[in-house]
Amino acid sequence: MKERKKTPLAFPGDRLAVSEEFLPGPHTYDSSGQIRALRAGSVVKDMKSMEISVQPFAEPELTRVDDWVTGQVEGSQANSANVHVFFLNGKPTYKDFSGMLSLRGLSGGGRGERRTTPVKPGDIVRCRVFSLVNGIIHLTIDEPDMGVVAALCGNCGRPLLKGSATKLKCDECGNVEERKIARDFGNTPIEP
Ligand SMILES: [Zn+2]
């Protein structure tokens, strides 16, 4: 019997097999009997050892830990947001990639703390790369120079102005919004 198989592609979290069929090999994990991909890459099945693994894509060296990136928030959840990166260390990048901005510890919600919104979709943010674990670019804005550098009013769509250290205001409609803002918020042109 022929064992040559097309190698399907997998993305992190994709279900590759059930644990009755295969053993989890490199770059996979067993999650309650489902073998899933830990990284993006090609799926490799070893029929001798009955092991399934992921061969990660050879990625160009895009970013390193401690780089900074500037991009636009595309979507946000309670503890993270997706950032589409346009600038790498202040220079335009034409490679299409996104990072995952961690908002843990920034959104408040502790005892006696009011819940705040560190970033909103559409905001331009400057972020630090703090980890590249599992092929994901993990970003943080927990530094004075990092955070939102430009944002539009959620009410009328005009650019927001700096109000205080954590508040932005709209001169047009009087709307006030909270963000984790970078020290140079509001400078024009934006410094990526
Ligand atoms: Zn407004």
Side-chain angles (χ1 to χ4, degrees), residues 72-76 81-84 98 121-122:
Q72 188 163 34
V73 177
E74 289 189 320
S76 63
N82 229 54
V83 176
H84 193 167
S98 297

Side-chain angles (χ1 to χ4, degrees), residues 44-61:
V44 180
K45 290 178 180 173
D46 185 329
M47 305 309 280
K48 277 194 192 126
S49 63
M50 294 311 286
E51 190 181 83
I52 195 161
S53 57
V54 173
Q55 173 98 59
F57 296 133
E59 287 167 17
E61 191 82 337

Side-chain angles (χ1 to χ4, degrees), residues 18-92:
V18 292
S19 55
E20 284 84 7
E21 302 173 312
F22 284 98
L23 294 168
H27 307 297
T28 72
Y29 63 100
D30 187 333
S31 164
S32 355
Q34 313 271 354
I35 299 169
R36 293 180 184 276
L38 203 52
R39 292 198 51 177
S42 320
V43 179
V44 180
K45 290 178 180 173
D46 185 329
M47 305 309 280
K48 277 194 192 126
S49 63
M50 294 311 286
E51 190 181 83
I52 195 161
S53 57
V54 173
Q55 173 98 59
F57 296 133
E59 287 167 17
E61 191 82 337
L62 280 176
T63 54
R64 292 163 190 270
V65 169
D66 285 340
D67 280 351
W68 83 89
V69 298
T70 306
Q72 188 163 34
V73 177
E74 289 189 320
S76 63
Q77 300 86 44
N79 288 320
S80 69
N82 229 54
V83 176
H84 193 167
V85 174
F86 299 122
F87 292 89
L88 174 58
N89 295 323
K91 295 192 178 70

